Amino acid sequence: MRNPSPGRTGRPRSAAADAAILAATRDALVDLGWSKLTMGDVSARAGVAKTTLYRRWAGKNELVVDAVAELFDSLELPDRGSLEADIEYVVLQFAGLLRRPEARTALMAVVAESTRDDALRDRIRSAIVDRQKRLVVLGRERAQARGELPHEEGEVAGHTTDLIFDVIAGTVVHRALVSSEPVDELWVGMFTTLLMHGLRGPNAGGAGESSLAGV
């Protein structure tokens, strides 16, 4: 769960209240849309006072981003035995999340609003994007331990992680939310094959540097 805003003190936060507020926020977004959503709507749906909301979140932007981030925090990457299987699993899981009305509506709303709000864009990056890169880091570490990918260090490793995340997240979001095309097993298999070719580069089997590493 999110940390309270710096400098705010008082009673410890209730995890149950936080969960109810974030769920109510997502429900309100589906019903009302971004422009009509207010903190009052959320407090009424969650059954808490508006002062409770403002003790936790400074305003609607922060609240909605955290409501989206909670959904994405549910994504996981169990070890499926190979990098290819890991990628297919997480892509199908991600696509399943995007099919949920509350996830789709909330994500599209905050992304659209962030085009004219730098602070909101920064919060999306820190609360959602940077945290979800954990899945890429974990997948690459496993693949490197299996000998499927070469080891990388420092800045190069960071750039590769960023690029893999951008390719996967950007492609799946575009496919599911912009093109409105199915992200099914056939498509995921084709996408994974293409991604694996880029990750392994000209020397299949993990020898040499990944062709993505120098981008």
Side-chain angles (χ1 to χ4, degrees), residues 125 128-138 140 152 154-171 191 195 199 210 212-215:
R125 183 181 300 112
I128 301 175
V129 175
D130 289 346
R131 284 222 299 268
Q132 293 314 309
K133 286 178 183 177
R134 64 189 168 83
L135 299 175
V136 176
V137 172
L138 176 59
R140 290 183 67 228
E152 295 173 345
E155 188 174 344
V156 171
H159 286 325
T160 303
T161 295
D162 289 347
L163 185 55
I164 294 170
F165 180 88
D166 289 345
V167 169
I168 294 176
T171 304
F191 170 68
L195 183 59
L199 286 169
S210 164
L212 292 181
V215 176

Side-chain angles (χ1 to χ4, degrees), residues 60-137:
K60 183 171 78 171
N61 287 3
E62 293 85 356
L63 174 59
V64 173
V65 171
D66 283 3
V68 177
E70 184 180 56
L71 291 177
F72 282 88
D73 283 345
S74 69
L75 295 174
E76 56 184 13
L77 187 62
D79 191 342
R80 311 292 289 185
S82 71
L83 177 58
E84 186 172 3
D86 285 354
I87 293 172
E88 290 180 347
Y89 181 90
V90 79
V91 169
L92 286 168
Q93 186 184 190
F94 182 33
L97 176 61
L98 294 179
R99 283 194 293 271
R100 294 170 56 177
E102 67 274 25
R104 183 169 59 248
T105 302
L107 181 62
M108 294 292 274
V110 296
V111 170
E113 189 66 19
S114 71
T115 61
R116 51 183 177 270
D117 187 330
D118 291 343
L120 178 58
R121 187 161 54 249
D122 289 342
R123 191 173 182 91
I124 291 170
R125 183 181 300 112
S126 63
I128 301 175
V129 175
D130 289 346
R131 284 222 299 268
Q132 293 314 309
K133 286 178 183 177
R134 64 189 168 83
L135 299 175
V136 176
V137 172

Side-chain angles (χ1 to χ4, degrees), residues 149-215:
L149 291 178
H151 287 273
E152 295 173 345
E153 302 292 340
E155 188 174 344
V156 171
H159 286 325
T160 303
T161 295
D162 289 347
L163 185 55
I164 294 170
F165 180 88
D166 289 345
V167 169
I168 294 176
T171 304
V172 176
V173 168
H174 187 279
R175 174 82 176 176
L177 301 186
V178 179
S179 297
S180 296
E181 296 288 345
V183 182
D184 53 22
E185 290 187 6
L186 175 61
W187 183 89
V188 170
M190 294 172 65
F191 170 68
T192 301
T193 298
L194 183 65
L195 183 59
M196 290 294 295
H197 179 75
L199 286 169
R200 287 173 173 159
N203 300 306
E209 290 193 0
S210 164
S211 63
L212 292 181
V215 176

